[in-house]
Amino acid sequence: MPEQTIRWGILSTAKIARKALVGAIRASSNGELAAVASRSGERARAFAREEGIPVAHGSYEALLDDDGMDAVYLPLPNSLHREWSIRAAEAGKHVLCEKPLALDPAECLEMAAAASAHGVSLMEAFMYRFHPRTERALEMVRSGAIGELKQIRSSFTFPLDRPDDIRWSRELGGGALMDVGCYCVDVSRALAGREPVEVRAMANFHTTGVDRQMAGSLRFEDGLLAHFDCALTMERTQIYHALGADGHLRVVDAFVPETEDTIIERFDVENELTRVSVKGDDQYRLMVEHFADCVLSRRPARYSAEDAARTMKVIEALYVSARSEGAVVAVG
Ligand SMILES: NC(=O)c1ccc[n+]([C@@H]2O[C@H](COP(=O)([O-])OP(=O)(O)OC[C@H]3O[C@@H](n4cnc5c(N)ncnc54)[C@H](OP(=O)(O)O)[C@@H]3O)[C@@H](O)[C@H]2O)c1
């Protein structure tokens, strides 16, 4: 491995790789994009040609066997995250795996154990956490900018118009909560700085069995409440509010902002608005650089697979509730 960079391989020709990660890896200061793999050699070659990637492999196994690679970015359907992260770890590759890390907490912990056994890094690719605005909003809440946190609201919805999309498949780990509601759960946990004790959820299910729309609530031990909604069937919204005793924060375009400078809206108790500006950046590149830096300096990544397991515990409980007409379900 060259001392200051890692060589990345992309496991599949996923849309998100083309849309964000190819550019992010290429723009990163400590990574180079070395290869792509697909189940189809033809698709791999076409992707490599179009994106200017030197090596194309006609199977995921071939990429994992390639000594010219240090790390893989893994944007497979959610149900395949566990298997291919473990296989990558066994092949000695570091793994940046798409969100949600796996189908349930047990899978996350199995993946963590495999990474640890093989001495590689594993991190969930929740890129919004790396945006300076997310970090600033968390810091404002923690430092008391809105007083004691009382309630969190969040929403992530968009219209999914591709009938054959992986998100409509229960076997592949689809559903609104798995795809976009996971951001709401994650940001609620992050803003709260602790874990919810119980949840309840109502959902509308697609004929394939996945949730296409969900509204859920999380209750924390000391009375803090969080509620969220997510959907694959509605206009695009991405927002969270942190409501405190002395005011509240509103963050719009919350999870996938553009790279321009951005703002946090802070309202005081009189509802007076202050716009806190935050420099824009490419959150995908920041995430990739952080991960590569941790690999190169042999430091643990900022977000562990155990933390991803805690998000999955909440998601698991929300699904139990949504499939039991909104029963209150204990987390874990
Ligand atoms: N962080 C973000 O901003 C973000 C945004 C979108 C999606 N994601 C996550 O990224 C992952 C991929 O999402 P995507 O929308 O990019 O998916 P996608 O375009 O459908 O890509 C998934 C890829 O997985 C491979 N694959 C392997 N087995 C498959 C199967 N049985 N069915 C379908 N594809 C299969 C395919 O590549 P080959 O045919 O080349 O092998 C396919 O191109 C998901 O985990 C999702 O949650 C993250």
Side-chain angles (χ1 to χ4, degrees), residues 189-249:
R189 291 181 51 243
L191 287 164
R194 52 199 186 274
E195 303 304 316
V197 288
E198 56 187 23
V199 302
R200 68 190 314 173
M202 304 285 270
N204 292 330
F205 290 94
H206 190 260
T207 49
T208 59
V210 303
D211 52 311
R212 44 191 180 151
Q213 184 185 1
M214 183 181 286
S217 303
L218 283 52
R219 193 173 70 75
F220 296 78
E221 218 151 42
D222 50 6
L224 172 66
L225 298 177
H227 54 104
F228 74 92
D229 57 82
C230 58
L232 304 176
T233 50
M234 286 159 54
E235 285 316 304
R236 196 173 172 79
T237 57
Q238 284 179 43
I239 189 164
Y240 61 85
H241 296 80
L243 300 108
D246 302 331
H248 71 274
L249 304 184

Side-chain angles (χ1 to χ4, degrees), residues 12-17 37-40 43 60 73 75-78 80-81 98-100 125 127 162 165-167 172 178-179 183 256 284:
S12 90
T13 57
K15 287 189 286 301
I16 186 60
S38 169
R39 293 167 300 169
S40 137
R43 265 201 305 284
Y60 304 153
Y73 164 59
L76 292 171
N78 300 332
L80 299 178
H81 289 182
E98 264 305 342
K99 44 52 62 178
M127 73 302 171
R162 294 181 298 271
D165 193 277
I166 56 171
R167 290 160 183 77
L172 296 179
M178 287 293 278
D179 191 50
Y183 288 88
V256 198
Y284 293 95

Side-chain angles (χ1 to χ4, degrees), residues 133-134 136-142 145-146 149 151-153 191 239-244 246-252 264-268 273-274 276:
R133 184 177 55 174
T134 310
R136 186 72 189 279
L138 291 175
E139 193 270 320
M140 286 173 77
V141 169
R142 282 178 199 141
I146 53 167
L149 186 62
Q151 194 142 304
I152 300 160
R153 288 187 204 131
L191 287 164
I239 189 164
Y240 61 85
H241 296 80
L243 300 108
D246 302 331
H248 71 274
L249 304 184
R250 181 167 69 188
V251 178
V252 299
I264 296 170
E265 295 173 304
R266 180 185 178 278
F267 298 83
D268 67 14
L273 168 63
T274 310
V276 178

Side-chain angles (χ1 to χ4, degrees), residues 4-20:
Q4 290 310 325
T5 60
I6 66 165
R7 297 159 301 178
W8 287 93
I10 302 184
L11 223 53
S12 90
T13 57
K15 287 189 286 301
I16 186 60
R18 207 186 275 277
K19 188 172 159 202

